[in-house]
Amino acid sequence: MTQTEAPTNTPADKQSHSHSSHPAQWKWYHYFTFNVDHKVIGIQYLVTAFFFYLIGGLMAVAMRAELYTPNPDVLDPNLYNAFMTNHGTIMIFLWIVPAAIGGFGNYLIPLMIGARDLAFPKLNALAFWLNPPAGALLMASFFFGGSQSGWTAYPPLSLVTANTAQSMWILSIVLVGTSSILGSLNFIITIWKMRVPSVTWDRLPLFCWAILATSILALLSTPVLAAGLVLLLFDINFGTSFFRPEAGGNVVVYQHLFWFYSHPAVYLMILPIFGIMSEVIPVHARKPIFGYKAIAYSSLAICCVGLFVWVHHMFTSGTPPWMRMFFTISTLIVAVPTGVKIFSWVATLWGGKIRFTSAMLFAIGLLAMFVLGGLSGVTLGTAPFDVHVHDTYYVVAHFHYVLFGGSVFGIYAGIYHWFPKITGRMPNETWGRIHFVLTFIGTNLTFLPMHELGLQGMPRRVAMYDPQFTTLNQICTFGAFLLGISVIPFFINMIWSWSKGEKAGDNPWNALSLEWTTTSPPAIENWEVLPVLTHGPYAYGMNVQNGSPNPSGAISGEPIVKG
């Protein structure tokens, strides 16, 4: 299998001298400091993101409790609006993006390319430490009434409700946006310059391809959102009129600036998850990934096309017919590279010796959820249908199938898959399966009826509704409670397994990518000497000779690798 030997004069080798003053092992209190080790920062991202996931989840459960009956009898309507705004904001900016990119990206990228750290460790630590104050600012906004304009902050609503809280919301988003830009620069330079020579572009793990595409997309789109929010901040606090209709401002310009970032933000959240899927499925199916190059290039294609679809959120904002046609076509085109990935994963599963571990169950569950969310996305991408269901619960159902069924299932799959590497211990599979069953049932119970609610015309973002929608709303509320309960076995599993679980060994899944060639958990500088990759990261069942897999080798459950 993979060999290790001393490298010669590589950037990664130079990096190895920067940690000479580190102790042999990190202590628990190091995780609360400005630590520059990429693995510590990755765990800091993951733990912080899960903390905010619980807060955002509690807000969602409270909102669903309110919607159990048509009348506002649990939450004050203003508090409901504040919960709705901050639930969406937290789940996107403080949960999925930090966990998927910051958490997994930081922990895995250097390990997968044979580096000792990211290119700029201190910048990396700074990027993480922008997140806690951003979250604190967001939560503190509740003392000033809470931002009530929804996570889109459309003017003129955002100009006339809870101005102090809205300003705090904007500053919070600018902080996490700055964190995202710094992190993206670091990932691009690290992947480009710090790979050991044996990790060539055609041997680069697909998770790295996904993070590379995500980082390019973040660099291109995030500054546009920041610009729009700063202008909005000026309108709220300094009397400018960029978006004030009564003073000659244009609210539609804000929508363009907002959605130029916020639709690609969907791909910022889902592309790293696609990368996780491409690592989990071949390992647990014990089979080479089908269509390596197609998956890698489709990530870049999604990155490019994703920048030209934002107007489909604005079909009802006075968009001219020619623009509706153009953005309908571009929106449908982005489904092609996404479909390439789906077909590649299904083809990988076909005929594989599948291990139904918790990681694999969540990966398969993601496939089902994402296909359903993708199909409803295609319907929303076509202007005639979108105009019909705009701002109804059909839209809520769609993006929750994509973002919860896609991103959250993917994060869970990644946690279970790399848990042995991160902790040195195996996760408990019984608790993992209970967690999966509760999550899968809860997701469908919560979000599937929302399609029908939307088709019947129930508007979203409301605390009160017509009594005819009561039964479907009550089913959704039961599902939300089940989703809330589903995190209990997960946290029991993580805490118990981390402290008392079975010892994992260095490579319990017999995986072939580089992160599994070091100790579990990895040493502080990752390896004694940097590794050399002698075969592809997905060469299961292939005869690997002289560093190149021979596809004529018989498919088997374990890798057949000859030096």
Side-chain angles (χ1 to χ4, degrees):
M1 291 185 67
T2 306
Q3 300 173 349
T4 58
E5 60 183 45
T8 55
N9 199 30
T10 67
D13 186 40
K14 295 174 185 175
Q15 186 68 41
S16 69
H17 300 294
S18 64
H19 297 291
S20 57
S21 60
H22 288 163
Q25 291 290 332
W26 298 122
K27 305 295 183 185
W28 65 268
Y29 50 84
H30 288 122
Y31 292 86
F32 294 89
T33 63
F34 192 85
N35 196 305
V36 296
D37 188 318
H38 70 97
K39 300 181 294 298
V40 173
I41 294 171
I43 292 173
Q44 287 174 327
Y45 266 113
L46 284 172
V47 172
T48 307
F50 267 103
F51 172 75
F52 284 112
Y53 175 50
L54 290 179
I55 293 176
L58 287 173
M59 290 182 185
V61 170
M63 286 189 292
R64 286 312 319 175
E66 167 55 49
L67 293 170
Y68 188 77
T69 63
N71 300 314
D73 43 16
V74 175
L75 296 176
D76 173 81
N78 287 334
L79 184 59
Y80 180 90
N81 284 339
F83 273 20
M84 178 197 66
T85 300
N86 288 292
H87 162 73
T89 306
I90 288 171
M91 289 308 199
I92 290 172
F93 295 105
L94 293 169
W95 156 235
I96 297 177
V97 171
I101 305 175
F104 289 106
N106 270 289
Y107 200 95
L108 295 171
I109 292 294
L111 289 168
M112 284 182 162
I113 64 173
R116 297 196 185 280
D117 210 323
L118 268 77
F120 306 109
K122 290 181 180 177
L123 193 68
N124 194 26
L126 175 63
F128 164 73
W129 282 105
L130 290 175
N131 285 270
L137 204 57
L138 203 64
M139 300 310 298
S141 70
F142 279 101
F143 292 107
F144 300 91
S147 171
Q148 298 184 24
S149 58
W151 80 282
T152 56
Y154 278 177
L157 186 60
S158 56
L159 297 172
V160 298
T161 56
N163 283 352
T164 303
Q166 193 68 53
S167 298
M168 296 170 76
W169 182 90
I170 291 172
L171 292 173
S172 172
I173 302 304
V174 170
L175 278 178
V176 294
T178 305
S179 166
S180 178
I181 291 171
L182 297 180
S184 298
L185 276 171
N186 222 343
F187 284 134
I188 291 172
I189 295 171
T190 300
I191 294 172
W192 198 275
K193 302 295 290 186
M194 294 181 67
R195 289 172 288 122
V196 290
S198 56
V199 181
T200 54
W201 285 110
D202 59 355
R203 286 179 172 184
L204 188 66
L206 289 165
F207 178 77
C208 300
W209 276 105
I211 290 293
L212 182 65
T214 304
S215 300
I216 294 171
L217 194 58
L219 276 184
L220 294 174
S221 61
T222 307
V224 178
L225 173 68
L229 291 179
V230 169
L231 295 181
L232 183 62
L233 189 70
F234 277 36
D235 274 9
I236 293 174
N237 294 285
F238 303 114
T240 56
S241 55
F242 296 106
F243 308 124
R244 289 183 180 279
E246 71 276 14
N250 190 333
V251 295
V252 176
V253 171
Y254 174 85
Q255 293 187 28
H256 280 290
L257 295 174
F258 179 84
W259 286 114
F260 185 80
Y261 164 82
S262 295
H263 189 82
V266 174
Y267 306 117
L268 296 184
M269 289 181 271
I270 205 66
L271 274 173
I273 301 302
F274 287 167
I276 290 172
M277 289 284 285
S278 299
E279 301 300 327
V280 170
I281 287 179
V283 170
H284 293 268
R286 288 172 284 185
K287 192 180 166 194
I289 192 84
F290 182 88
Y292 168 89
K293 289 184 179 178
I295 295 177
Y297 298 155
S298 66
S299 293
L300 299 178
I302 291 172
C303 167
C304 296
V305 182
L307 289 169
F308 298 96
V309 302
W310 79 94
V311 173
H312 75 237
H313 292 274
M314 301 167 57
F315 283 152
T316 60
S317 301
T319 306
W322 71 267
M323 286 184 71
R324 288 182 178 180
M325 183 179 298
F326 174 81
F327 283 97
T328 292
I329 294 170
S330 63
T331 302
L332 297 182
I333 286 175
V334 82
V336 175
T338 307
V340 167
K341 291 180 183 294
I342 300 288
F343 284 119
S344 295
W345 296 329
V346 172
T348 304
L349 288 170
W350 187 269
K353 293 185 175 180
I354 299 174
R355 295 180 285 208
F356 287 100
T357 58
S358 303
M360 190 57 149
L361 288 174
F362 273 102
I364 294 173
L366 184 153
L367 271 176
M369 299 292 98
F370 192 80
V371 167
L372 189 53
L375 291 175
S376 60
V378 170
T379 61
L380 286 171
T382 54
F385 187 85
D386 180 82
V387 170
H388 178 68
V389 299
H390 185 77
D391 264 346
T392 70
Y393 258 80
Y394 189 91
V395 181
V396 181
H398 158 67
F399 68 70
H400 277 90
Y401 262 96
V402 172
L403 295 185
F404 193 95
S407 296
V408 177
F409 272 57
I411 290 171
Y412 282 140
I415 290 286
Y416 282 110
H417 178 66
W418 282 292
F419 186 85
K421 179 52 60 184
I422 294 172
T423 67
R425 295 180 183 272
M426 299 298 292
N428 183 287
E429 289 297 334
T430 302
W431 282 109
R433 292 187 178 102
I434 294 172
H435 174 216
F436 169 75
V437 170
L438 291 175
T439 308
F440 189 83
I441 295 174
T443 301
N444 287 287
L445 210 55
T446 305
F447 303 120
L448 193 60
M450 290 184 184
H451 292 94
E452 180 62 21
L453 280 172
L455 291 173
Q456 291 183 11
M458 177 169 167
R460 60 173 173 161
R461 299 169 175 160
V462 293
M464 295 174 284
Y465 55 85
D466 191 292
Q468 67 172 312
F469 304 126
T470 302
T471 302
L472 288 174
N473 269 297
Q474 289 177 342
I475 295 172
C476 295
T477 299
F478 280 124
F481 288 161
L482 194 59
L483 274 182
I485 293 170
S486 73
V487 300
I488 295 174
F490 172 72
F491 282 108
I492 291 175
N493 193 359
M494 294 298 103
I495 295 170
W496 187 89
S497 296
W498 200 324
S499 57
K500 302 289 184 183
E502 177 190 351
K503 294 285 181 64
D506 293 342
N507 189 5
W509 309 126
N510 291 319
L512 299 178
S513 45
L514 277 181
E515 77 270 25
W516 298 100
T517 64
T518 185
T519 56
S520 298
I524 285 180
E525 292 187 337
N526 296 344
W527 291 276
E528 285 289 327
V529 290
L530 294 179
V532 175
L533 190 65
T534 57
H535 49 76
Y538 312 105
Y540 281 92
M542 292 187 176
N543 247 334
V544 178
Q545 292 181 327
N546 301 321
S548 298
N550 172 12
S552 63
I555 300 294
S556 72
E558 304 299 342
I560 304 170
V561 180
K562 298 178 180 178

